[in-house]
């Protein structure tokens, strides 16, 4: 006996009614579907007196078509899409609200790059739209309202929104020459190729030092005293001013410009200038010739970071799809639960009428007590099933409230009754005409496949970079130095020669008439030159120094670089295998949802027909009972069958709508069908203004202009 053919009064081994078991089973089978439950209500309402007569509900507008996301290194594939009733509405896929790829500029505020930026705290309160939709303690929601509220308030979205921003900071980090931190979903976060480091941000280094010292000197001639047997000290004062700027370039070039100045004075008389100013201008260039040569190897991490920024969008899209799909499921489950309560309410009302009629007949003696007991037992069973259905409705209501709110315990929200206003009707055929067409669409749109394609691209970049890093290191360097020297020096007059010490004999007695001549140079003044003179010598290239050389490092056996290269190639092959694995899983997912959607339509038709027949059977049995041609037991049995058929029809409609949502998720169509853009979800706000097809701000534009919108709504230049 099929589970759906069991009566509502039957129970499972754990004591739960089959109706509840059907609900749980349907949730597991159609996890990602919501729209199913809205479709079944319309059929139930039109099916007879059992259905509650709600006012007609306006159907949501057809879903817009979203421009397909680019697939890296994947040729465009032809995808089937059902023709919409109205022209498609362009949806912006612009940037996120905040951009962290750029650092604060130094102008006009020079200290801005050295101060932390302010990042707003996350909003943990419900969006204002929740209050706007509450009327008299009730929250009436269309399906589109529920989706938009989920995007505004889902904590999963709020957490996932940071992933693209993390990717922004990796771009900023790599463009400065640093190593990225990586993001969720990225198999290759950075390249581990052992390449000479380059800093792409210019670095200015300034060093100022003052040195006063007295140095003991063992040589009296160095000290300038000329005395013997006496330890003297050499006093000196040195002031150094060193400045340099260094920057690396993606070609593998490093440039350094240094300007050094030293002023020194000493008590020694042997220096030509005292005090002296010595200056030097040094220009140094280094160019990698083998390992580290070229823009590709030095921009590898920048390319990986930019690719991972695109990957972050796909990761975020996957989370948005999950959020939207689960919200749709919760919405239609609540619709089903409310309709199921109405079914059991009418079943209770019917049982009460039957029980009341039987009691009257028992009182006048035209009915046996056993028939009254049976009617009373059926009434008790229907009341029990009604309580269970009401409990399930409260549970499903709480699930939906959690999906559409950041804080379900907010005072103005906790006791609000959620009333879904969209009614369930069998959806139009939106699936592709064949399974093969559905697979093509899934391969083009499913976010995890697009993510993996980017991972393959990044793994290829890393493998190529580590292959270049196998080369030896050869650095060509050139240096130009221009020096200057100036200071204070004495100005001397005409030298004079005179008699000095007498010359003595062997006994030490002076020899008359013999003297050692002495020459004295009179100091008539001093010449003062300094910093200006030294700089003039530098820029007039009076004392140049040219240096050219090459530095070669050849690692013997090169095992470390070989291990890194082999690992990156293995990782590339693994990611390629994982890509096929994901495709295979996508095939199974699309196949299951495609079959479930087709079977769901058949099940709705059969369940609806069965419910109509059971309604006719129940009506006929009641008439026979009133004419005395039937028994209370037969009426109870037909009533059970009717309630079971009503529940089966409700469940079939719910399953169909949930199968539709599951199929849309499987082929990656969820966001475009529900008019959701990634840009909106990143903002945490849902834009209500719809773009006119083919225009932007009243001007005719192309698809690229619609895709590349800036946060303020203007087009990128």
């Amino acid at each position: 006996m099929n589970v759906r053919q069991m009566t509502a009064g039957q129970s499972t081994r754990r004591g739960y009614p089959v109706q509840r078991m059907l609900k749980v089973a349907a949730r597991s089978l159609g996890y990602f579907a919501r729209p199913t439950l809205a479709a079944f209500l319309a059929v139930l309402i039109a099916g007879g007196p059992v259905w509650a007569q709600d006012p007609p509900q306006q159907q949501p507008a057809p879903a817009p078509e979203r421009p397909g996301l680019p697939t890296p290194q994947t040729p465009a594939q032809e995808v089937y899409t059902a023709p919409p009733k109205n022209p498609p509405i362009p949806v912006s896929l612009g940037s996120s609200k905040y951009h962290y790829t750029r650092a604060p500029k130094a102008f006009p505020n020079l200290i801005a790059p050295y101060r932390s930026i302010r990042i707003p705290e996350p909003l943990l309160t419900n969006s204002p739209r929740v209050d706007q939709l509450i009327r008299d303690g009730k929250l009436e929601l269309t399906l589109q309202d529920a989706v938009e509220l989920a995007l505004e308030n889902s904590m999963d979205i709020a957490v996932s929104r940071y992933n693209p921003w993390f990717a922004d900071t990796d771009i900023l980090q790599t463009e400065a020459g640093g190593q990225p931190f990586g993001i969720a979903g990225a198999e290759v976060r950075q390249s581990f190729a052992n390449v000479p480091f380059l800093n792409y941000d210019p670095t200015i280094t300034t060093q100022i030092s003052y040195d006063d010292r007295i140095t003991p000197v063992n040589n009296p001639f160095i000290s300038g005293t000329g005395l013997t047997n006496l330890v003297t000290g050499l006093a000196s004062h040195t002031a150094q001013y060193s400045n340099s700027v260094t920057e690396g370039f993606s070609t593998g070039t490093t440039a350094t410009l240094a300007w050094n100045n030293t002023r020194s004075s000493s008590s020694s008389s042997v220096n030509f200038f005292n005090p002296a100013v010595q200056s030097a201008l040094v220009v140094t260039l280094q160019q990698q010739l083998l390992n580290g040569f070229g823009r590709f190897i030095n921009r590898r991490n920048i390319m990986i970071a930019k690719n991972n920024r695109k990957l972050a969008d796909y990761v975020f899209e996957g989370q948005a799809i999950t959020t939207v799909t689960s919200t749709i499921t919760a919405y239609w489950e609540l619709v089903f639960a409310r309709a199921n309560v109405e079914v059991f309410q009418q079943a209770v009302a019917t049982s009460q009428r039957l029980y009341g009629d039987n009691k009257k007949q028992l009182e006048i003696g035209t009915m046996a007590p056993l028939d009254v007991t049976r009617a009373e037992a059926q009434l008790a069973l229907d009341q029990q099933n009604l309580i269970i259905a009401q409990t399930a409705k409260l549970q499903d209501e709480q699930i939906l409230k959690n999906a559409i709110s950041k804080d379900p315990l907010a005072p103005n929200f906790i006791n609000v009754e959620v009333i879904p206003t969209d009614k369930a009707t069998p959806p139009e055929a939106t699936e592709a005409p064949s399974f093969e067409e559905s697979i093509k669409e899934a391969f083009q749109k499913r976010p995890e496949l697009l993510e993996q394609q980017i991972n393959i691209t990044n793994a290829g970049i890393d493998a190529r970079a580590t292959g270049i890093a196998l080369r030896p290191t050869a650095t060509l360097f050139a240096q130009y130095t221009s020096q200057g020297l100036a200071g204070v020096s004495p100005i001397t007059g005409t030298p004079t020669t005179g008699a000095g010490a007498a010359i003595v004999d062997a006994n030490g007695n002076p020899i008359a008439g013999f003297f050692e001549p002495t020459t004295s140079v009179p100091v008539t003044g001093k010449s003062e030159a300094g910093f200006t003179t030294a700089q003039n010598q530098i820029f007039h290239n009076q004392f140049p120094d040219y240096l050219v050389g090459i530095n070669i490092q050849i690692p013997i056996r090169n095992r470390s670089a070989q291990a890194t290269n082999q690992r990156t190639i293995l990782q590339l092959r693994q990611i390629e295998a994982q890509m096929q694995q994901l495709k295979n899983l996508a095939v199974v997912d699309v196949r299951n949802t495609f079959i479930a959607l087709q079977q769901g339509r058949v099940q709705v038709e059969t369940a609806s027909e069965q419910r109509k027949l059971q309604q006719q059977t129940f009506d006929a049995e009641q008439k026979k009972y009133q004419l005395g041609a039937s028994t209370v037991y037969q009426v109870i049995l037909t009533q059970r069958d009717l309630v079971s058929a009503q529940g089966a029809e409700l469940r079939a409609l719910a399953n169909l709508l949930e199968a539709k949502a599951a199929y849309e998720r499987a082929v990656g169509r969820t966001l475009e069908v529900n008019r959701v853009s990634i840009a909106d979800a990143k903002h945490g706000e849902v834009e209500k203004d719809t773009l006119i097809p083919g225009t932007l701000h009243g001007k005719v534009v192309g698809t690229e202009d619609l895709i590349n919108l800036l946060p303020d709504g203007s087009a990128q230049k």
Side-chain angles (χ1 to χ4, degrees):
M1 183 177 182
N2 192 294
V3 174
R4 299 188 183 275
Q5 295 173 340
M6 299 175 67
T7 61
Q10 292 175 312
S11 302
T12 62
R13 288 180 295 179
R14 296 187 178 182
Y16 294 101
V18 170
Q19 191 65 36
R20 182 61 176 166
M21 184 180 71
L22 291 174
K23 178 175 171 45
V24 174
R27 280 185 180 177
S28 61
L29 292 175
Y31 177 75
F32 292 100
R34 283 191 184 176
T36 317
L37 297 167
F40 65 73
L41 280 181
V43 176
L44 297 177
I45 292 171
V50 178
W51 309 111
Q53 300 298 323
D54 290 338
Q57 183 67 25
Q58 183 180 0
Q59 296 299 322
E65 302 231 345
R66 176 170 60 88
L69 298 176
T71 305
Q73 298 184 356
T74 301
Q77 296 174 325
E78 184 179 359
V79 180
Y80 168 83
T81 53
K85 291 183 178 180
N86 297 326
I89 300 176
V91 179
S92 169
L93 296 178
S95 301
S96 59
K97 184 175 182 179
Y98 301 103
H99 299 274
Y100 298 101
T101 58
R102 298 182 292 270
K105 296 181 180 180
F107 298 99
N109 187 357
L110 296 178
I111 65 173
Y114 312 103
R115 300 176 62 180
S116 176
I117 67 172
R118 181 186 178 277
I119 297 178
E121 298 179 355
L123 292 176
L124 302 179
T125 57
N126 297 331
S127 62
R129 191 196 298 260
V130 175
D131 291 334
Q132 296 170 1
L133 293 175
I134 296 177
R135 298 288 187 276
D136 300 327
K138 296 181 180 180
L139 178 61
E140 296 185 357
L141 287 178
T142 64
L143 179 60
Q144 188 65 28
D145 287 335
V147 169
E148 293 175 356
L149 285 177
L151 292 176
E152 293 177 2
N153 297 297
S154 170
M155 290 309 301
D156 291 334
I157 291 289
V159 172
S160 297
R161 190 175 292 119
Y162 286 92
N163 204 43
W165 296 339
F166 289 149
D168 284 348
T169 63
D170 277 353
I171 294 177
L172 183 62
Q173 178 85 350
T174 55
E175 288 182 342
Q179 300 293 328
F181 296 98
I183 59 170
E187 297 287 343
V188 180
R189 302 189 174 189
Q190 66 180 52
S191 174
F192 291 96
N194 187 13
V195 178
F197 174 75
L198 294 174
N199 188 356
Y200 299 137
D201 282 353
T203 302
I204 297 177
T205 303
T206 298
Q207 179 177 334
I208 301 175
S209 64
Y210 300 95
D211 183 9
D212 279 291
R213 67 177 63 186
I214 297 178
T215 305
V217 179
N218 194 29
N219 188 329
F221 295 100
I222 295 178
S223 66
T225 60
L227 300 177
T228 59
N229 299 325
L230 181 64
V231 177
T232 61
L234 178 63
S236 64
H237 172 79
T238 304
Q240 291 184 334
Y241 306 89
S242 300
N243 302 276
S244 65
V245 57
T246 302
E247 184 176 359
F249 301 91
S250 59
T251 55
T253 308
T254 302
T256 302
L257 174 65
W259 182 41
N260 303 321
N261 297 277
T262 302
R263 183 185 185 280
S264 60
S265 60
S266 173
S267 60
S268 173
S269 61
V270 298
N271 293 331
F272 185 73
F273 295 112
N274 190 17
V277 175
Q278 187 172 4
S279 300
L281 182 65
V282 183
V283 179
T284 304
L285 295 176
Q286 293 184 348
Q287 175 63 54
Q288 303 300 328
L289 301 179
L290 296 175
N291 184 6
F293 174 78
R295 287 174 55 83
F296 170 80
I297 186 65
N298 294 301
R299 289 180 55 84
R300 65 196 186 283
N301 281 325
I302 298 177
M303 292 186 290
I304 290 174
K306 289 184 175 181
N307 287 338
N308 283 339
R309 180 60 182 82
K310 300 176 184 177
L311 183 144
D313 280 341
Y314 294 136
V315 173
F316 188 78
E317 180 183 0
Q319 180 58 60
I321 288 176
T322 300
T323 299
V324 171
T325 306
S326 60
T327 303
I328 294 173
T329 302
Y331 184 90
W332 292 118
E333 283 295 329
L334 179 58
V335 172
F336 165 76
R338 293 175 63 87
N340 204 33
V341 167
E342 293 177 0
V343 169
F344 283 108
Q345 284 175 341
Q346 296 198 15
V348 169
T350 302
S351 296
Q352 285 176 338
R353 288 196 302 269
L354 179 63
Y355 174 62
D357 292 343
N358 290 350
K359 283 184 64 177
K360 292 178 181 178
Q361 294 185 36
L362 176 63
E363 291 174 356
I364 63 177
T366 60
M367 180 168 288
L370 180 59
D371 291 335
V372 177
T373 303
R374 286 176 176 172
E376 186 177 8
Q378 180 62 33
L379 175 60
L381 180 60
D382 289 339
Q383 289 175 338
Q384 177 185 357
N385 291 336
L386 176 59
I387 293 173
I388 294 173
Q390 290 172 337
T391 302
K393 186 198 76 169
L394 293 176
Q395 292 173 341
D396 291 334
E397 184 178 71
Q398 188 60 49
I399 292 173
L400 181 58
K401 291 172 75 173
N402 280 15
I404 63 176
S405 64
K406 285 189 176 78
D407 183 12
L409 299 179
N412 63 336
F413 186 73
I414 185 171
N415 295 320
V416 169
E417 180 184 4
V418 179
I419 302 177
T421 58
D422 284 353
K423 302 303 178 182
T425 56
E428 297 180 358
T430 58
E431 62 269 26
S434 66
F435 169 67
E436 290 75 12
E437 293 294 331
S438 297
I439 289 297
K440 290 181 180 179
E441 183 176 3
F443 283 177
Q444 187 185 33
K445 293 182 178 180
R446 282 178 72 109
E448 69 272 20
L449 297 180
L450 301 178
E451 294 172 32
Q452 197 68 5
Q453 186 60 56
I454 292 180
N455 283 327
I456 292 175
T457 301
N458 285 345
I461 293 174
D462 194 18
R464 181 182 170 188
T466 55
I468 296 175
L470 291 171
R471 304 171 185 173
T473 301
T475 305
L476 176 67
F477 59 90
Q479 179 175 300
Y480 163 75
T481 304
S482 180
Q483 302 184 65
L485 177 62
V488 177
S489 59
I491 299 176
T492 59
T494 303
T496 58
T497 302
I503 298 176
V504 298
D505 57 15
N507 296 322
N509 298 319
I511 301 175
F514 291 91
F515 299 91
E516 180 180 358
T518 59
T519 302
S520 63
V521 180
V523 177
T524 61
K526 61 181 180 179
S527 173
E528 296 184 356
F531 179 77
T532 303
T533 302
Q535 303 312 307
N536 185 62
Q537 294 171 354
I538 287 177
F539 290 104
H540 282 81
N541 201 28
Q542 293 186 13
F543 305 102
D545 180 8
Y546 303 97
L547 172 66
V548 177
I550 187 170
N551 181 9
I552 300 177
Q553 296 180 1
I554 303 177
I556 305 301
R557 302 182 67 180
N558 207 22
R559 290 186 294 179
S560 177
Q562 282 285 348
T564 302
N565 178 248
Q566 293 172 17
R567 184 178 182 88
T568 56
I569 296 176
L570 288 171
Q571 186 179 22
L572 172 60
R573 300 295 178 254
Q574 182 186 43
I575 295 176
E576 290 173 341
Q578 289 174 346
M579 181 65 166
Q580 185 61 40
Q581 183 183 34
L582 290 174
K583 287 183 177 180
N584 294 343
L585 293 175
V587 169
V588 174
D589 191 16
V590 174
R591 168 67 78 179
N592 291 339
T593 56
F594 188 81
I595 293 175
L597 185 55
Q598 291 180 327
Q599 291 181 344
R601 299 186 188 280
V602 178
Q603 289 175 355
V604 168
E605 294 177 1
T606 56
S608 178
E609 187 65 25
Q610 183 181 11
R611 192 265 309 160
K612 294 177 182 178
L613 294 175
Q614 288 296 339
Q615 182 69 52
Q616 296 173 5
T617 302
F618 177 69
D619 293 341
E621 197 66 34
Q622 279 189 319
K623 292 180 180 179
K624 290 172 60 178
Y625 172 74
Q626 293 172 358
L627 296 174
S630 181
T631 63
V632 173
Y633 181 70
Q634 290 298 326
V635 174
I636 291 174
L637 288 181
T638 55
Q639 180 188 1
R640 287 181 182 179
D641 293 340
L642 175 59
V643 171
S644 178
Q646 291 171 342
E649 185 180 16
L650 284 172
R651 191 67 260 174
L653 276 169
N655 290 343
L656 174 59
L657 291 173
E658 292 179 1
K660 174 180 177 291
Y663 173 78
E664 291 167 352
R665 173 198 54 79
V667 297
R669 201 191 293 171
T670 299
L671 298 186
E672 61 189 83
V673 167
N674 293 280
R675 296 183 301 219
V676 176
S677 73
I678 292 299
D680 294 344
K682 285 178 185 172
H683 291 175
E685 302 172 357
V686 179
E687 298 174 355
K688 301 304 294 181
D689 295 334
T690 301
L691 295 177
I692 300 174
T695 67
L696 176 63
H697 304 310
K699 297 181 180 179
V700 179
V701 295
T703 304
E704 294 79 10
D705 295 318
L706 292 174
I707 293 176
N708 299 315
L709 291 179
L710 293 173
D712 59 357
S714 60
Q716 294 179 355
K717 296 182 180 179

